[in-house]
Amino acid sequence: MRKLITLLIVLCITATGFAQSKKLESITEFKLQNSGAILNKDKDVDGYYFFYLVDKLKKGAREYGIQVLDNNLNEVAFKKYVAQKGTILVDSQFNNDGLMFAFLNKKERHIKVVLFDRNAEQKETSTVELSKKEITWLMAMNQSEDFNILTSVPNKGFLLTVIKDNKKIGYKTFFYPTDDSRGWRYGSPEGSKEIVTGAPMATNEKFIVINEMSKPGMLSKKLKITTKILNTETGKLVTTIKSDPKKPKLITNGLLNENNQLILMGEYFKGGDNIMKDKSQGLFVEVIDETGATLTENTASWSKDINPILKAKDDKKNSYIYFHDIVPTADGSFYAIGEKFRKTASAAGIAAAVLSRGGNSVTQLTITDALVFEFDKDFALKGIQTFEKGKSRAPSISDFGSPQLNAHVLKNYGAFDHIYTQIDKENDRFYACFIDYERLKGEKNKNAFKTIIYDEGEFSQDKIYLEAGKGKITRVLPAKTGNVVILEYDKKAKTMDLHMEKLNID
Amino acid sequence: MRLFFALTLFLVPLCHSNAQSETLSPKLKDSIFNYLDQSIGSKIASYQGENKRKVSEFWEERKEKIKDDIENNAFIFDDALNSELNKIISQVYAANPEVDPSAFYFFVNRSPVPNAASYGNGSFSLNTGLFSLAENDDELAFIICHEIAHYLLSHSDTAIDSHIESYESKETRKKVNKISNRDVGKFSKAMELLKDINYKLYKKSRSAEIEADSLGMELFKKTGYNPASATSILAKLDFEKKAILNKYAPIKKHLHTNGYPFKDNWLKKENNSLFDLEESSNDYSFDKDSTKTHPAIPKRIELLRTKIASEDENSGVPQVIHMLKEISLAKTIEGAIENNQLDIALFYLLTTHESADDEKSRFYDQMALVLKKMYELKKEHSIGKYVAPISPFSEEEELNKIKQFISNLEPKNIRKLGYWFCQENKDLFANADIQKETHAYFKKLNPNID
Ligand SMILES: [Zn+2]
């Protein structure tokens, strides 16, 4: 997804041409720094921003311009923002009360959050100082889709999460209220003997859920996952959910429902197994109340529940499934969206070239079909739907970790074909979007943006081809739920066309 | 829109498309292109000033723009429409024999924005939105006189000259160089300069409007039309922020079928605003402080009043205008369908259909075609190219309602709606071929119905 968003930068749009004289034109040109979609936790797009460098000011200051489009691509604001040179816009979130931007300045070594209220007026600014090392870590973490610098708390405020260089690496989350409550901060203990990273996983007006991962050292494979529930108003720890050593868990996603219950979903392991090394036992869904007590826990094991059904459909050896999302629907069922992959030997060098940080790996993952598992409200597997998709390959991070974990790491770097799943609670629909490398007989291979849509209890598919013809580029960008923005760029005419299209249910 | 009647330097049609015009014959197109080459060619040849190169560049560009607009179906070429319009135009010519109209040509622009323009080479354009706005022939006649006055006063030439001079004058160049040599604060200084230039140009164009009103009134008074309609049409044009397309559009009434009852959630509004604003909060827009604080039209009305003896504004004749409204409405719907502007097509179809239940009407043909196109464009993910998204600042509630309706409909809805619309209204289509074609189209998409 990040890859898709950043494409706007490459194509470089200059906003507004006021001037008629060439020289005046070049002075009054806004230079685009970066752009992005303002996405909420359901991957719904609230709007888009374009960040421009406008002018050089005295004493190293710069005038920047932030252009804000709503989710129908209408410009709704173009705000002047003055900061020191080298400022980059790293994240943006909307919480119904206002729009917050996070700006990082590597040279000044700080991150600034700026709030614009419902009248698009600039409100408070807060600055968090960071060390050089903390910035490096933060930028590395920010590559991952699990980590966001800003998280919105609907109708309450925003969370800023940064990395702290304590005795060992830790994290800190700052709460900036947009109502009349008070700000607070929460983070890993300063004297911690373990590396602890954390990120808000779910938020609402009452609770903030933080998923913490800790391990004794950088190279250690003893990864521990702890879930913490904080009081939104005070930032005080309400309860800690430690993973049961008899049943270690890898949490794929978590959400708070209308009753303030926490629903955790993911994969579980055998007692004593290492979630970084071993193959999981199956999938789980757990409902936890605000005291941390488990209300219900349901599992579906590979051996007893899933494989018998899966094998009947497909008997390829060494086939694994990576789950991206588990979506609850109005009738209480759950749909798990995954992709099938195999571990295959890679052509030498590909891995290193594509993912240099991955080290020296000789295998790769071959990603194939998309799968949707349907579970009833008791998490009994009702069926598996397969959606064919062309093969794609991703380098394996390491030959020694579990394929599952490998996949998890790769997912965070966008190696899978799954881009995002949008959930439309109001209409009880969801849209799982993939890139499909279609291999068509007798034709050139075509890339397509493929969406699996769940509506009225049924599945359908929609497809947008990304090959526009010679000298033309077509890209699909995220948009408000159930829609995409199609960007068409004509290299020769240097014209760009952005239009919003709804995904088709037919 | 804000600069109504200012010499529109470039004529911008509401929405352009690449659809080839079907109404313009190759022969007529040739003769119009020829006319443009000739009239603009002589414009360039007769230029005597210092900016020859720039001026001819400007005219060449304008010519290409008009030709593009013609190719892109921005204008209506219709014999019946022209012959009606000519009734007013020839009355103006006849009353003003000293005006030589041999190089004049009036284009009719498919645009709901009530506006008109004089290009300077004898070409004029009238938007169909003017026909909707005007209540009688007299009001339209004044607009025509006003535009001819712009031509007679060579306002286009002055505007081009002062445009070039403002940007290319020694003084401006010196200022620009000074700004570009600055270390800091270049942008805001350049913006100041631009604001200044624009303000001066705006002021000039405002006084040009007053001159054109004045001379236009002289021409107009001789025509026998009611002089008071000059002020009444201007008052109607003072529509700053007023919604143009906002007539009640009974979507449900016209698209309900017994086979596939209308669902109210097809009209469900989306609420998605980031801000509570009435217009974009733009720190870089510069019309805020200059143009807006100068209400142009009330001032013009005041000046015109001094030239009118009677204030009887209601004595105009609605003869030609009535025909123009009718023909241009039909052409607007046709053009909108052809150009895939389905929101505009639906708006005009729904707001104007009033015929009795058992009467054959083109409404059914056109509605079936709109539904077919809507299905096709949605399936190929391109409807967003032609139907602009809802703007949070638009006050055109009814048009927005239609846009929302188009967005809400899934292809599966359109497929069924199209089928039942064709099925239940099959005896009401005016054109049997369209009836057969669209009915068969939707039947094929719904193999399981019946
Ligand atoms: Zn005028």
Side-chain angles (χ1 to χ4, degrees):
Chain A
M1 166 129 69
R2 273 167 209 280
K3 276 186 279 181
L4 284 173
I5 297 169
T6 47
L7 246 153
L8 278 180
I9 306 170
V10 181
L11 297 175
C12 186
I13 321 144
T14 37
T16 56
F18 295 122
Q20 327 287 327
S21 120
K22 281 255 155 59
K23 209 162 189 177
L24 258 182
E25 203 168 308
S26 75
I27 300 171
T28 51
E29 209 171 61
F30 295 19
K31 287 148 201 95
L32 186 67
Q33 309 292 293
N34 71 318
S35 64
I38 305 162
L39 284 159
N40 74 16
K41 65 177 185 340
D42 291 329
K43 299 287 187 283
D44 184 9
V45 169
D46 292 317
Y48 304 86
Y49 66 81
F50 293 83
F51 185 55
Y52 302 91
L53 176 60
V54 175
D55 207 355
K56 228 190 215 177
L57 307 176
K58 281 178 196 158
K59 293 179 187 160
R62 293 288 180 272
E63 180 178 329
Y64 295 97
I66 314 164
Q67 186 182 27
V68 182
L69 310 189
D70 71 4
N71 59 10
N72 280 327
L73 300 172
N74 298 296
E75 183 196 292
V76 289
F78 207 142
K79 306 302 291 184
K80 186 169 157 172
Y81 174 66
V82 175
Q84 280 300 300
K85 83 171 178 199
T87 296
I88 46 180
L89 198 167
V90 285
D91 207 357
S92 172
Q93 282 281 289
F94 176 67
N95 83 333
N96 306 324
D97 288 340
L99 186 59
M100 185 171 264
F101 292 99
F103 298 98
L104 177 76
N105 194 309
K106 288 185 189 174
K107 210 170 149 239
E108 305 280 312
R109 291 191 190 154
H110 61 224
I111 200 157
K112 260 192 182 152
V113 290
V114 178
L115 177 71
F116 289 89
D117 69 7
R118 298 275 319 183
N119 296 316
E121 295 300 330
Q122 185 177 327
K123 297 311 239 191
E124 310 79 62
T125 303
S126 294
T127 308
V128 173
E129 306 291 337
L130 297 171
S131 71
K132 206 176 161 188
K133 191 173 164 191
E134 286 166 346
I135 290 173
T136 309
W137 271 92
L138 185 66
M139 292 327 282
M141 284 290 283
N142 198 33
Q143 296 290 309
S144 148
E145 277 179 38
D146 278 356
F147 183 86
N148 291 305
I149 292 175
L150 286 179
T151 308
S152 73
V153 186
N155 316 314
K156 276 307 264 191
F158 294 92
L159 298 164
L160 166 72
T161 306
V162 297
I163 305 299
K164 284 313 275 181
D165 186 16
N166 294 330
K167 205 165 171 189
K168 285 195 171 165
I169 288 295
Y171 76 95
K172 193 154 233 159
T173 289
F174 298 81
F175 177 67
Y176 300 103
T178 48
D179 63 1
D180 46 18
S181 53
R182 284 166 67 177
W184 48 258
R185 56 189 67 181
Y186 184 86
S188 55
E190 277 182 26
S192 174
K193 291 196 175 92
E194 293 186 307
I195 294 173
V196 187
T197 59
M201 183 169 58
T203 65
N204 69 13
E205 288 176 40
K206 277 191 90 173
F207 300 113
I208 308 280
V209 182
I210 291 182
N211 214 18
E212 264 186 18
M213 294 200 193
S214 55
K215 50 184 187 175
M218 225 52 237
L219 298 168
S220 165
K221 288 194 168 143
K222 275 194 200 148
L223 184 73
K224 211 169 65 193
I225 296 180
T226 312
T227 305
K228 291 185 162 169
I229 301 179
L230 311 182
N231 180 314
T232 303
E233 197 76 31
T234 62
K236 294 261 159 35
L237 183 66
V238 179
T239 184
T240 303
I241 304 151
K242 285 207 174 94
S243 65
D244 177 1
K246 278 182 258 159
K247 200 197 241 174
K249 284 167 185 156
L250 182 67
I251 298 165
T252 309
N253 48 338
L255 51 100
L256 285 160
N257 67 14
E258 299 74 38
N259 308 318
N260 287 310
Q261 293 163 336
L262 174 63
I263 303 172
L264 292 179
M265 295 168 272
E267 294 176 48
Y268 69 95
F269 295 77
K270 225 167 43 212
D273 268 3
N274 186 327
I275 58 172
M276 284 190 78
K277 276 205 306 222
D278 299 307
K279 191 173 189 289
S280 77
Q281 295 294 300
L283 303 179
F284 77 92
V285 169
E286 189 178 1
V287 182
I288 296 163
D289 73 7
E290 48 193 273
T291 67
T294 299
L295 299 176
T296 56
E297 185 180 355
N298 290 300
T299 56
S301 86
W302 293 109
S303 58
K304 278 209 301 258
D305 306 312
I306 301 171
N307 285 342
I309 296 180
L310 198 59
K311 283 274 152 57
K313 301 190 100 183
D314 176 49
D315 54 2
K316 276 209 184 78
K317 266 188 268 168
N318 300 321
S319 206
Y320 300 91
I321 293 156
Y322 184 76
F323 287 100
H324 297 286
D325 275 307
I326 303 177
V327 183
T329 57
D331 65 357
S333 343
F334 293 91
Y335 290 89
I337 296 141
E339 273 178 278
K340 210 157 36 170
F341 67 94
R342 274 175 292 139
K343 230 173 149 176
T344 46
S346 74
I350 295 178
V354 179
L355 218 99
S356 52
R357 64 166 76 224
N360 36 11
S361 147
V362 291
T363 58
Q364 64 179 357
L365 303 180
T366 300
I367 299 150
T368 58
D369 297 341
L371 298 171
V372 179
F373 286 43
E374 183 190 353
F375 297 96
D376 68 9
K377 59 181 193 315
D378 302 317
F379 216 56
L381 184 60
K382 305 298 283 181
I384 300 171
Q385 298 239 23
T386 308
F387 298 91
E388 273 186 37
K389 198 156 63 60
K391 272 185 221 162
S392 67
R393 294 198 167 83
S396 181
I397 296 281
S398 139
D399 293 329
F400 306 106
S402 79
Q404 214 60 33
L405 187 82
N406 235 319
H408 191 67
V409 174
L410 279 171
K411 179 233 161 161
N412 274 334
Y413 292 95
F416 273 93
D417 298 336
H418 174 262
I419 308 167
Y420 54 75
T421 298
Q422 286 183 322
I423 302 169
D424 178 359
K425 280 202 202 97
E426 216 176 302
N427 296 304
D428 196 25
R429 286 179 187 161
F430 67 80
Y431 302 81
C433 304
F434 295 86
I435 291 292
D436 187 359
Y437 304 89
E438 221 177 58
R439 265 93 176 145
L440 297 170
K441 260 189 201 150
E443 270 184 63
K444 216 181 132 218
N445 293 341
K446 275 177 159 179
N447 289 350
F449 183 90
K450 183 177 198 164
T451 309
I452 298 168
I453 306 167
Y454 169 86
D455 174 48
E456 295 180 335
E458 285 172 18
F459 284 98
S460 61
Q461 286 185 67
D462 190 26
K463 195 181 278 183
I464 299 168
Y465 286 107
L466 301 178
E467 246 75 0
K470 239 187 177 174
K472 285 181 182 160
I473 298 172
T474 300
R475 287 290 178 273
V476 172
L477 310 175
K480 62 185 179 187
T481 302
N483 293 262
V484 288
V485 165
I486 299 178
L487 179 154
E488 283 160 314
Y489 183 69
D490 189 324
K491 285 188 212 167
K492 211 175 145 204
K494 292 213 163 83
T495 53
M496 196 183 67
D497 187 26
L498 278 176
H499 54 105
M500 173 104 54
E501 297 295 338
K502 208 169 164 195
L503 293 162
N504 286 328
I505 304 177
D506 198 359
Chain B
M1 265 194 281
R2 210 170 290 123
L3 297 175
F4 172 71
F5 272 166
L7 297 167
T8 355
L9 286 179
F10 299 98
L11 203 131
V12 186
L14 184 72
C15 202
H16 62 88
S17 91
N18 296 316
Q20 194 70 38
S21 161
E22 284 172 3
T23 43
L24 181 62
S25 72
K27 211 176 138 197
L28 180 58
K29 192 177 117 178
D30 271 358
S31 82
I32 293 171
F33 276 31
N34 224 331
Y35 152 75
L36 288 170
D37 290 339
Q38 299 261 322
S39 60
I40 289 178
S42 68
K43 208 65 229 178
I44 296 170
S46 66
Y47 180 81
Q48 297 296 332
E50 294 166 18
N51 304 314
K52 183 101 183 167
R53 195 177 52 87
K54 288 262 169 198
V55 168
S56 64
E57 266 174 31
F58 183 91
W59 276 111
E60 288 298 334
E61 238 173 74
R62 176 173 281 186
K63 188 170 77 189
E64 287 317 306
K65 179 72 178 63
I66 303 174
K67 287 184 177 178
D68 276 354
D69 284 346
I70 293 171
E71 301 272 13
N72 292 333
N73 203 8
F75 302 117
I76 298 173
F77 296 98
D78 181 81
D79 290 342
L81 183 84
N82 285 340
S83 91
E84 287 299 325
L85 188 57
N86 274 334
K87 288 179 188 166
I88 299 181
I89 295 172
S90 47
Q91 192 167 330
V92 172
Y93 292 170
N96 293 282
E98 72 286 1
V99 176
D100 172 17
S102 55
F104 287 5
Y105 190 93
F106 281 82
F107 291 94
V108 175
N109 195 0
R110 289 177 206 277
S111 165
V113 181
N115 210 347
S118 164
Y119 294 81
N121 62 319
S123 301
F124 303 94
S125 76
L126 301 171
N127 289 5
T128 51
L130 271 179
F131 304 156
S132 323
L133 193 75
E135 268 175 283
N136 49 52
D137 302 0
D138 312 55
E139 292 185 337
L140 187 60
F142 174 71
I143 304 283
I144 290 167
C145 291
H146 171 100
E147 293 309 323
I148 293 175
H150 272 309
Y151 172 85
L152 297 174
L153 294 163
S154 306
H155 278 159
S156 195
D157 301 331
T158 340
I160 296 166
D161 265 337
S162 46
H163 192 88
I164 294 169
E165 268 157 32
S166 328
Y167 285 102
E168 309 290 336
S169 73
K170 270 196 189 130
E171 196 198 340
T172 304
R173 279 181 197 206
K174 242 165 91 184
K175 282 183 187 162
V176 172
N177 282 336
K178 211 174 147 196
I179 292 170
S180 75
N181 288 333
R182 288 177 71 97
D183 277 339
V184 296
K186 274 185 204 181
F187 181 88
S188 49
K189 288 283 175 211
M191 283 293 279
E192 265 171 45
L193 177 60
L194 272 175
K195 270 186 198 181
D196 188 50
I197 293 173
N198 269 40
Y199 183 65
K200 280 180 188 149
L201 287 174
Y202 172 71
K203 255 177 42 188
K204 271 191 191 154
S205 86
R206 260 192 62 212
S207 57
E209 288 316 311
I210 289 166
E211 283 171 36
D213 280 344
S214 175
L215 179 59
M217 184 52 115
E218 313 247 312
L219 305 175
F220 188 52
K221 270 183 173 169
K222 296 185 208 155
T223 57
Y225 287 114
N226 174 16
S229 30
T231 52
S232 69
I233 186 70
L234 272 191
K236 290 188 185 107
L237 284 163
D238 193 10
F239 57 86
E240 180 103 25
K241 269 227 122 178
K242 236 186 270 170
I244 303 167
L245 302 182
N246 209 15
K247 208 176 151 195
Y248 175 62
I251 303 182
K252 189 174 175 175
K253 184 181 160 201
H254 293 318
L255 287 172
H256 173 81
T257 59
N258 295 320
Y260 193 51
F262 196 91
K263 292 180 182 158
D264 286 331
N265 66 10
W266 292 344
L267 298 178
K268 199 159 101 191
K269 268 195 190 175
E270 232 169 78
N271 197 0
N272 43 16
S273 61
L274 290 168
F275 304 119
D276 305 317
L277 297 170
E278 279 178 11
E279 58 179 0
S280 176
S281 168
N282 190 332
D283 292 347
Y284 298 101
S285 84
F286 53 58
D287 29 53
K288 266 182 198 156
D289 34 336
S290 58
T291 53
K292 269 204 180 150
T293 49
H294 295 82
I297 290 184
K299 176 84 186 157
R300 288 169 58 189
I301 293 175
E302 208 185 297
L303 288 169
L304 276 175
R305 281 225 168 99
T306 62
K307 300 177 200 280
I308 305 169
S310 104
E311 276 284 322
D312 184 7
E313 289 178 354
N314 298 317
S315 69
V317 188
Q319 208 172 0
V320 172
I321 200 75
H322 180 76
M323 293 302 290
L324 289 176
K325 279 180 204 274
E326 206 165 276
I327 302 168
S328 69
L329 172 69
K331 288 285 154 190
T332 300
I333 296 175
E334 258 172 46
I337 297 176
E338 199 182 311
N339 294 351
N340 297 333
Q341 295 163 286
L342 302 185
D343 51 342
I344 304 288
L346 267 181
F347 177 82
Y348 284 113
L349 277 173
L350 292 167
T351 51
T352 55
H353 178 56
E354 274 163 18
S355 72
D357 282 346
D358 54 350
E359 211 175 276
K360 282 183 190 287
S361 160
R362 291 206 64 195
F363 167 80
Y364 299 97
D365 308 349
Q366 290 174 319
M367 184 59 85
L369 288 173
V370 166
L371 291 171
K372 178 172 177 260
K373 274 217 160 168
M374 205 191 291
Y375 184 81
E376 289 167 347
L377 292 174
K378 284 217 171 198
K379 287 298 271 188
E380 65 189 39
H381 302 103
S382 64
I383 197 164
K385 281 188 200 174
Y386 310 103
V387 177
I390 297 172
S391 155
F393 311 123
S394 148
E395 289 181 12
E396 292 170 317
E397 296 288 339
E398 291 298 314
L399 182 65
N400 288 344
K401 187 175 86 183
I402 287 168
K403 286 174 184 286
Q404 186 72 62
F405 171 68
I406 294 174
S407 161
N408 287 348
L409 284 185
E410 311 290 349
K412 65 174 179 187
N413 305 132
I414 306 169
R415 180 159 55 80
K416 293 178 202 163
L417 180 60
Y419 173 81
W420 287 107
F421 183 85
C422 292
Q423 176 70 24
E424 292 179 12
N425 298 305
K426 60 173 180 254
D427 300 326
L428 299 174
F429 281 63
N431 181 321
D433 292 339
I434 294 177
Q435 189 275 327
K436 259 188 226 142
E437 186 217 317
T438 51
H439 201 174
Y441 177 83
F442 284 114
K443 218 175 225 167
K444 209 174 153 196
L445 290 176
N446 294 279
N448 301 322
I449 298 188
D450 278 348

